[in-house]
Amino acid sequence: MINLILFGPPGSGKGTQAAKIVDQYQLVHISTGDLFRYEMGNDTPLGMKAKDYMAKGELVPDSITIGMLRNKVEAHPDARGFIFDGFPRTIPQAEALDILLAELGTEVSGLIALYVDDEEIVYRIRLRGATSGRPDDSDERIIRNRISIYKNETTPVFDYYQKQDKSHTINGIGTMGDIFDRLTGIIETWEKKSGD
Ligand code: ADP
């Protein structure tokens, strides 16, 4: 199995690239942000719980997020692998993911971080906010809050997988095709290993 953690700050292009990787490798794409938005759109109890945190650009508590992720993974017993997009965002989430995948007899293949600087992120998210209808995309204070939460709470996840020799960084600026080539260059090396 290939289990990729697509990592990077909000607005770094994870969702766009995930869609292209899914086409190429037939992996199941799990975006925790999309899952929360779906729940919110349907006014489910889970959506109600997530709503205020998301509106402020804060992280939804781990207990809620980890349970949702586990359900989604377990709903795909025949998957060839997963792309985790927006998860894990904290160390407890990373530990929970490692445990879950170990239960399934597999593991994280690697984490790839898209590097994009802060000003480019703010620019991209505001542009997206014009059409996405996402309230957390249209207020610069909330965007900057998300960036600072990423730096404080989420970047430790990079170091966590670095200790397992699994973390990689690529330049997240360039054409969609350029960035895709950078990603697949790394994923191909895992494919070779998993084929051994
Ligand atoms: P972006 O990558 O642009 O921040 P996402 O769709 O990944 O957008 O996330 C939107 C919001 O959903 C986050 O700001 C947070 O409130 C919530 N969220 C998504 N994933 C997680 C997670 N793994 N842990 C906690 N909160 C999350």
Side-chain angles (χ1 to χ4, degrees), residues 10-11 14 32-33 36-37 53-54 57-60 65 86-87 89 93 128 134 136 146:
K14 300 185 293 287
T32 42
F36 282 131
R37 279 184 289 277
Y53 297 102
M54 290 182 75
E58 285 167 11
L59 295 183
V60 178
T65 308
F87 186 97
R89 264 170 149 106
Q93 290 181 16
R128 178 172 80 184
R134 278 176 57 175
D136 60 339
R146 285 156 64 197

Side-chain angles (χ1 to χ4, degrees), residues 9-41:
S12 55
K14 300 185 293 287
T16 309
Q17 292 297 331
K20 288 171 72 80
I21 297 168
V22 164
D23 283 349
Q24 174 114 352
Y25 298 99
Q26 285 86 49
L27 304 177
V28 174
H29 175 203
I30 301 184
S31 156
T32 42
D34 286 350
L35 291 174
F36 282 131
R37 279 184 289 277
Y38 175 82
E39 298 286 337
M40 262 164 36

Side-chain angles (χ1 to χ4, degrees), residues 9-185:
S12 55
K14 300 185 293 287
T16 309
Q17 292 297 331
K20 288 171 72 80
I21 297 168
V22 164
D23 283 349
Q24 174 114 352
Y25 298 99
Q26 285 86 49
L27 304 177
V28 174
H29 175 203
I30 301 184
S31 156
T32 42
D34 286 350
L35 291 174
F36 282 131
R37 279 184 289 277
Y38 175 82
E39 298 286 337
M40 262 164 36
N42 288 294
D43 285 328
T44 66
L46 180 62
M48 314 271 212
K49 283 188 202 146
K51 198 171 186 160
D52 290 344
Y53 297 102
M54 290 182 75
K56 290 188 221 149
E58 285 167 11
L59 295 183
V60 178
D62 285 339
S63 55
I64 299 174
T65 308
I66 290 168
M68 178 179 74
L69 187 281
R70 176 177 272 272
N71 287 340
K72 193 73 188 174
V73 169
E74 288 177 347
H76 290 92
D78 300 324
R80 299 175 52 146
F82 294 91
I83 302 179
F84 298 100
D85 162 5
F87 186 97
R89 264 170 149 106
T90 62
I91 297 286
Q93 290 181 16
E95 290 168 346
L97 179 63
D98 283 355
I99 291 170
L100 172 60
L101 293 179
E103 281 171 19
L104 300 175
T106 183
E107 63 177 341
V108 168
S109 310
L111 172 155
I112 307 179
L114 300 172
Y115 181 77
V116 180
D117 63 79
D118 291 2
E119 294 319 306
E120 173 74 13
I121 291 168
V122 173
Y123 170 77
R124 285 190 190 178
I125 296 183
R126 295 198 68 146
L127 206 66
R128 178 172 80 184
T131 52
S132 70
R134 278 176 57 175
D136 60 339
D137 279 355
S138 40
D139 179 333
E140 182 157 344
R141 256 181 337 144
I142 292 176
I143 298 171
R144 294 207 182 265
N145 189 33
R146 285 156 64 197
I147 296 172
S148 82
I149 289 176
Y150 173 76
K151 287 183 180 160
N152 297 330
E153 298 183 45
T154 303
T155 54
V157 171
F158 184 93
D159 304 332
Y160 174 91
Y161 285 105
Q162 178 98 302
K163 290 193 189 114
Q164 300 181 22
D165 256 339
K166 289 180 176 173
S167 290
H168 307 261
T169 302
I170 61 168
N171 180 359
I173 309 239
T175 66
M176 266 166 59
D178 288 342
I179 298 165
F180 183 65
D181 290 344
R182 292 172 198 149
L183 283 166
T184 51

